Amino acid sequence: MNNSNILEVHHLKKYFPLGGGLFSRTVRSVKAVDDISFFIQPGETLGLVGESGCGKTTVSRVILRLLEPTGGEVLFEGNNVFQLKGERLQQLRRDMQIIFQDPYSSLNPRLSVGSIIAEGIGVHNIARGRRKREIVEELLEKVGLSSGHYTRYPHEFSGGQRQRIAIARALSLNPKLIICDEPVSALDVSIQAQILNLLAQLKKDFHLSYLFITHDLAVVEHVSDRIATMYMGEITEVADTEEFYSNPLHPYTHALLSANLLPDPEKRKKAILLKGDVPSAIDPPSGCRFHTRCPVAEAVCSREWPELEEKSSGHMVRCHLVGKLGPKSPML
């Protein structure tokens, strides 16, 4: 990691305490995010993938300080996000925005489209009066809607149109980084493609960086420069997109990719069915957290916790067995 990165996450942790006993003291914690590190460069899209419940969304909310961290630090343009207060924190709110998963619940049904998009512009004193309306109308057209939609309400739009409104709201403060939290998972497949193409175009037009959170490997391949996988609150593998798909190293990544349906039947891999359920984040397994479901786990996997190590240029993996999997391995 270096000073040229727009975002750096160092050893981030987020535990949710569970009370118990007579005085409801904290007796255990849900380890939603447990010591993860990654970075995003200016103009880059980092895809963050994993099963539901692995901690992806929690990561996004801690980065934005919608949730306070348990440990670690987040640096945005070299500034520690968790130490900012007052005007400096307000500026951070402008520079980092989020697009939520559900376009039906992320927009206030009592406000018009114009008021939803203009709200942040007014709060941050970017523009007022006629100029504020002009900015909103420009943004509506930029995301593929009409300036005539200014006075309409969210219930009058389809899911894809609502997500375009949410994107316009995120752009209204001219941010540098946008966190896209499953932005297309609630949309029809045909609409997904439109929104993904829109995000790609806006990235060029506004010189944006994205943290793109999803469980869909086909989507993340289309939009990402690099991809990181998460399992039970930990980063298990990070690589450039091409390297990620052509040379996966972690058994969990192999399993995810085997479940990814490809249009060409000859290129499809036999699905790797993981045994058992995802363990509880309250009492995670010893050693490697994936070893209870891993088809190639060895004794060392249950005893020793693997570090996230660089195996080739930019390719990081958390696994004891990298380089030990033979050609007859069920993961290959």
Side-chain angles (χ1 to χ4, degrees):
M1 301 188 186
N2 55 61
N3 294 331
S4 65
N5 299 323
I6 190 170
L7 182 75
E8 296 185 6
V9 176
H10 296 279
H11 306 292
L12 186 64
K13 297 181 181 181
K14 178 58 183 178
Y15 300 166
F16 293 97
L18 298 176
L22 181 61
F23 299 103
S24 296
R25 292 191 295 263
T26 298
V27 293
R28 295 183 297 175
S29 296
V30 176
K31 298 180 179 180
V33 177
D34 199 10
D35 196 16
I36 72 168
S37 301
F38 61 85
F39 65 89
I40 300 176
Q41 297 176 331
E44 182 184 41
T45 298
L46 175 66
L48 188 60
V49 299
E51 297 169 286
S52 297
C54 71
K56 305 186 301 295
T57 294
T58 302
V59 169
S60 70
R61 280 153 174 71
V62 176
I63 290 173
L64 294 169
R65 282 190 64 177
L66 300 178
L67 294 172
E68 291 300 318
T70 301
E73 64 178 10
V74 172
L75 303 180
F76 181 78
E77 295 187 322
N79 298 307
N80 192 328
V81 170
F82 304 142
Q83 295 178 354
L84 298 181
K85 298 179 181 179
E87 292 184 2
R88 296 183 67 192
L89 179 59
Q90 188 175 24
Q91 179 62 46
L92 177 74
R93 302 294 190 200
R94 291 179 57 173
D95 290 339
M96 292 200 297
Q97 289 290 300
I98 185 170
I99 301 168
F100 294 100
Q101 176 178 354
D102 186 2
Y104 290 91
S105 61
S106 64
L107 303 178
N108 189 337
R110 298 182 181 88
L111 297 180
S112 67
V113 167
S115 297
I116 290 171
I117 300 173
E119 188 172 20
I121 298 174
V123 168
H124 290 272
N125 296 315
I126 295 174
R128 296 191 178 277
R130 179 60 192 169
R131 179 53 188 156
K132 181 166 70 172
R133 177 160 185 150
E134 288 175 352
I135 292 174
V136 173
E137 291 177 343
E138 290 170 4
L139 287 171
L140 284 170
E141 294 180 355
K142 196 71 177 177
V143 299
L145 297 174
S146 165
S147 58
H149 292 146
Y150 188 98
T151 57
R152 294 172 63 179
Y153 286 80
H155 72 270
E156 300 178 68
F157 295 88
S158 66
Q161 289 174 320
R162 289 188 186 202
Q163 200 62 300
R164 291 176 186 270
I165 296 167
I167 293 171
R169 177 178 60 184
L171 291 172
S172 66
L173 301 180
N174 194 25
K176 299 176 182 178
L177 172 71
I178 294 182
I179 296 177
C180 305
D181 185 8
E182 300 270 14
V184 298
S185 63
L187 306 178
D188 294 337
V189 174
S190 60
I191 305 301
Q192 286 184 10
Q194 295 176 20
I195 297 300
L196 292 174
N197 290 334
L198 172 63
L199 290 171
Q201 185 60 49
L202 294 173
K203 178 183 174 181
K204 296 178 182 178
D205 294 345
F206 288 85
H207 308 290
L208 297 168
S209 302
Y210 290 145
L211 173 60
F212 197 98
I213 297 171
T214 183
H215 64 272
D216 191 327
L217 287 166
V219 167
V220 79
E221 181 181 16
H222 179 70
V223 301
S224 300
D225 300 299
R226 290 185 300 121
I227 299 175
T229 56
M230 277 191 73
Y231 183 79
M232 290 194 66
E234 294 183 339
I235 298 287
T236 57
E237 187 166 2
V238 186
D240 291 342
T241 299
E242 183 177 352
E243 173 78 2
F244 182 88
Y245 283 88
S246 64
N247 184 33
L249 297 179
H250 198 284
Y252 180 55
T253 307
H254 279 272
L256 290 176
L257 291 174
S258 75
N260 187 32
L261 292 178
L262 299 174
D264 186 349
E266 295 183 358
K267 294 183 179 180
R268 292 178 186 172
K269 297 181 179 179
K270 182 180 179 180
I272 299 170
L273 300 178
L274 299 177
K275 58 186 178 182
D277 297 322
V278 178
S280 170
I282 300 173
D283 186 22
S286 60
C288 173
R289 293 188 175 179
F290 185 61
H291 85 265
T292 59
R293 305 174 71 201
C294 181
V296 294
E298 297 180 358
V300 66
C301 301
S302 62
R303 293 195 313 264
E304 299 178 15
W305 179 75
E307 297 280 353
L308 186 65
E309 298 178 342
E310 187 170 25
K311 299 301 180 180
S312 60
S313 180
H315 197 156
M316 311 284 290
V317 64
R318 187 190 303 277
C319 181
H320 292 300
L321 305 181
V322 173
K324 298 180 181 179
L325 301 182
K328 295 183 180 181
S329 167
M331 308 307 295
L332 300 177

